[in-house]
Amino acid sequence: YLAIVCGVLPRDRGDIRAAIARHPTHRKRMAVQDDVGRAAHTSYRALERLREATLVEALLHTGRTHQIRVHFQHLGFPLVGDLTYGHRQNNRLSELTHYTAPRLMLHAQRITFTHPHTGRKLAVEAPCPADFEEAVSVLKRVD
């Protein structure tokens, strides 16, 4: 997956291992909850540091609901355009850059799975949508 997160990640790469469960009070949201959650693991690497944001590649080792969104919010770097898990940070990003994302800036660039009938491993790739590319372009650092 490719994602744009609010803020500049301090590390070039990392692993997020934090259990995920339903949020205790907001039942439509998920949250990191080590005591009751199911194990979840996401690896990431920063591809480019942007203005008040970072372009990252995320690799899921598990498949929990909203896993990428919840894990990056847990680190303090919610996804650009994610008003469910990062309303405050997205407002701050808009104030600082004058850019407001039209949607959640998350893109499944490559998905690999085993075909249920043939057992063959299949890989499907999709180019980045124009609005994702535009977000990266608008948020490019001007040094």
Side-chain angles (χ1 to χ4, degrees), residues 50-99:
L50 307 167
R51 191 166 38 110
E52 306 297 332
T54 307
L55 175 64
V56 298
E57 179 181 59
L59 174 65
L60 296 178
H61 300 280
T62 53
R64 306 292 174 232
T65 302
H66 297 183
Q67 181 172 322
I68 293 172
R69 297 167 70 187
V70 171
H71 273 172
F72 279 101
Q73 186 270 337
H74 178 66
L75 290 183
F77 298 91
L79 274 60
V80 170
D82 192 347
L83 302 182
T84 299
Y85 293 103
H87 191 268
R88 188 180 74 236
Q89 293 93 332
N90 273 277
N91 282 344
R92 179 85 173 126
L93 178 72
S94 293
E95 288 171 10
L96 295 172
T97 65
H98 305 291
Y99 174 75

Side-chain angles (χ1 to χ4, degrees), residues 2-5 47-57 80 93 97 99-103 105-107 128-142:
L2 291 179
I4 306 171
V5 299
L47 298 177
E48 185 174 358
R49 288 182 173 75
L50 307 167
R51 191 166 38 110
E52 306 297 332
T54 307
L55 175 64
V56 298
E57 179 181 59
V80 170
L93 178 72
T97 65
Y99 174 75
T100 301
R103 64 173 179 89
M105 290 292 117
L106 178 64
H107 173 63
C128 281
D131 60 353
F132 192 98
E133 293 286 351
E134 180 183 356
V136 171
S137 179
V138 168
L139 295 170
K140 287 250 188 217
R141 282 188 158 178
V142 181

